[in-house]
Amino acid sequence: MIQFDVLTLFPLIFDGFLSESILKNAIESGKLSVQLHNMRNWATDKHSTMDDRPFGGGPGMVLKVDCVVPCVESVRGGCGVAGRLIMLSPQGRKFDQRLAESFAVEERLILLCGRYEGFDERVVELLEPEEVSIGDYVLNGGEVAAMVLIEAVMRLLPGALGDCDSNRLDSFSSGNRLLDCAQYTRPREYRGLNVPETLLNGNHAEIEKWRNENSLQRTKLRRPDLLN
Ligand code: 6GU
């Protein structure tokens, strides 16, 4: 059981994500829990202001240190395990399968989602979170990145997926640095396109060989960086 605590200004973004399909089943069968915390509850004024204009001027708004720090401290203190604190931020370390594997062995992960131009830098100085980015592009906030992280970690939890080793064979898991091979299902022929003959003849050694070669070929073409 791994507990995620998500600190966000927009908890409703997570509703559909948490209540459908594989993730819903994993939560219902106790593989993980996700607690949403609305950071606005830690605002200090009557208008529930969480952000303010940046010192020095410029566009956008900055999330206030005196709201965010007490919020994190309160959520952290609400459970015996302090947990690993992760700030979703485009300035962070690039998220990958290895980092997901290191998260999957934790008891508790606290995910801090930013909005606007980000957090007052003193949040980082005081709380020393691990900053994580999901790639080199800009999102409106950390919520979608937090969902990416939760889903990637959830797939690694024992028994969370129906088929017991379907995650071990995934692209990018430890011991597999190749892209997945091409897959086909019925019909055998569609608009003149045929399923490769090897996949139809029932020879499992040959099928395995075809798939390995297909994986290697696709990786060479599309992601040569994975082969080095
Ligand atoms: Cl974690 N946050 C935002 N706002 N943008 C991103 C990101 C995170 N990762 C990639 N782009």
Side-chain angles (χ1 to χ4, degrees):
M1 165 65 106
I2 181 164
Q3 178 177 333
F4 291 92
D5 288 274
V6 181
L7 283 58
T8 171
L9 289 171
F10 301 96
L12 292 178
I13 291 177
F14 293 84
D15 279 7
F17 173 65
L18 296 172
S19 61
E20 293 277 7
S21 188
I22 299 175
L23 195 51
K24 177 190 178 185
N25 291 331
I27 291 168
E28 283 176 353
S29 61
K31 306 295 187 299
L32 76 159
S33 82
V34 182
Q35 307 297 323
L36 299 169
H37 306 274
N38 190 338
M39 283 198 284
R40 205 168 289 285
N41 297 337
W42 280 267
T44 55
D45 68 348
K46 65 174 187 209
H47 305 294
S48 297
T49 309
M50 283 299 295
D51 54 358
D52 206 342
R53 288 148 58 210
F55 279 124
M61 298 292 271
V62 177
L63 291 168
K64 286 161 61 58
V65 60
D66 54 333
C67 301
V68 174
V69 168
C71 172
V72 173
E73 286 173 346
S74 154
V75 168
R76 265 198 148 158
C79 158
V81 198
R84 223 161 133 181
L85 179 64
I86 297 148
M87 176 187 279
L88 286 314
S89 145
Q91 282 78 43
R93 163 181 173 188
K94 183 97 60 83
F95 186 58
D96 62 9
Q97 195 66 22
R98 256 189 44 202
L99 192 52
E101 284 166 6
S102 88
F103 289 152
V105 298
E106 299 287 338
E107 272 180 73
R108 189 179 191 203
L109 297 169
I110 300 171
L111 308 182
L112 191 50
C113 303
R115 281 265 148 177
Y116 318 115
E117 297 308 299
F119 295 94
D120 186 307
E121 188 60 21
R122 291 167 293 183
V123 173
V124 176
E125 287 172 44
L126 286 165
L127 301 175
E128 301 184 340
E130 296 175 56
E131 293 184 72
V132 172
S133 159
I134 61 165
D136 294 338
Y137 39 80
V138 183
L139 305 171
N140 291 335
E143 285 78 10
V144 169
M147 290 191 271
V148 167
L149 190 154
I150 291 168
E151 187 161 316
V153 170
M154 170 264 156
R155 293 179 55 79
L156 297 169
L157 302 177
L161 302 180
D163 190 347
C164 62
D165 64 1
S166 59
N167 55 5
R168 197 171 44 76
L169 300 173
D170 281 349
S171 296
F172 309 117
S173 59
S174 299
N176 182 15
R177 300 275 168 235
L178 296 181
L179 299 182
D180 282 347
C181 63
Q183 299 281 4
Y184 300 87
T185 187
R186 291 184 291 180
R188 286 179 175 217
E189 185 271 339
Y190 185 70
R191 297 191 182 182
L193 297 178
N194 290 296
V195 175
E197 208 44 53
T198 311
L199 299 177
L200 305 172
N201 70 11
N203 182 331
H204 293 287
E206 265 188 48
I207 291 170
E208 173 87 351
K209 185 163 160 270
W210 184 92
R211 288 183 164 157
N212 288 336
E213 279 169 6
N214 186 266
S215 276
L216 188 58
Q217 199 179 14
R218 276 148 70 98
T219 309
K220 271 183 191 159
L221 257 157
R222 303 178 190 194
R223 292 295 305 277
D225 58 297
L226 294 177
L227 295 170
N228 305 319

